[in-house]
Every structure is written in C-alpha cells, then in structure tokens.
Amino acid sequence: MDELKTIMKKFASSGWDLIAVPAQQWLDGKGDNDTLVSAIKQADKECGTCGCELDPLYKRALELL
C-alpha cells in the first residue's frame, strides 16, 4: 500500500490533470477506483513510452490496484 501511495503522490504532483486529479482524489479518500484505473490506462496510452519517470509507474500502479 505504501508503494501505491507513493506512486499516487507522484501522479498527483505531475501537473497533468488527466492523472493528477484522480490520483489526488484517491489520496483524499474520495476517488473512484474505476475512474482512477481508466485515467491511468489513458495516461499510459498517451505517454507511457515518452521516457519520463512516470512511464513505468502507470503499469505498476495498475498491478497494485
């Protein structure tokens, strides 16, 4: 759970609303897992191979959820 929380904090601080908003909602205990999973999948599709530090975290977060 700590690993997932750390990943969500990185997503929340990314500045990319697609992933930052649902991640912050999850951290606040107000998020919907389906919405979060959908956002992570979309972020991975759009940016999952750009080479940034978030790329491997999308897949890892989905495994942990």
Side-chain angles (χ1 to χ4, degrees):
M1 187 63 163
D2 287 340
E3 181 183 3
L4 184 56
K5 195 172 194 177
T6 299
I7 292 170
M8 290 304 146
K9 286 180 181 179
K10 285 190 181 202
F11 289 166
S13 67
S14 70
W16 188 19
D17 286 348
L18 173 68
I19 196 71
V21 172
Q24 187 60 56
Q25 290 172 341
W26 184 88
L27 287 166
D28 293 341
K30 300 175 184 173
D32 170 50
N33 268 12
D34 290 340
T35 301
L36 179 61
V37 167
S38 178
I40 294 170
K41 286 180 179 179
Q42 185 63 33
D44 186 40
K45 182 179 176 184
E46 289 183 25
C47 183
T49 59
C50 75
C52 76
E53 68 173 329
L54 299 179
D55 288 354
L57 299 181
Y58 301 131
K59 289 170 184 59
R60 182 64 183 149
L62 291 172
E63 289 173 7
L64 295 171
L65 286 168

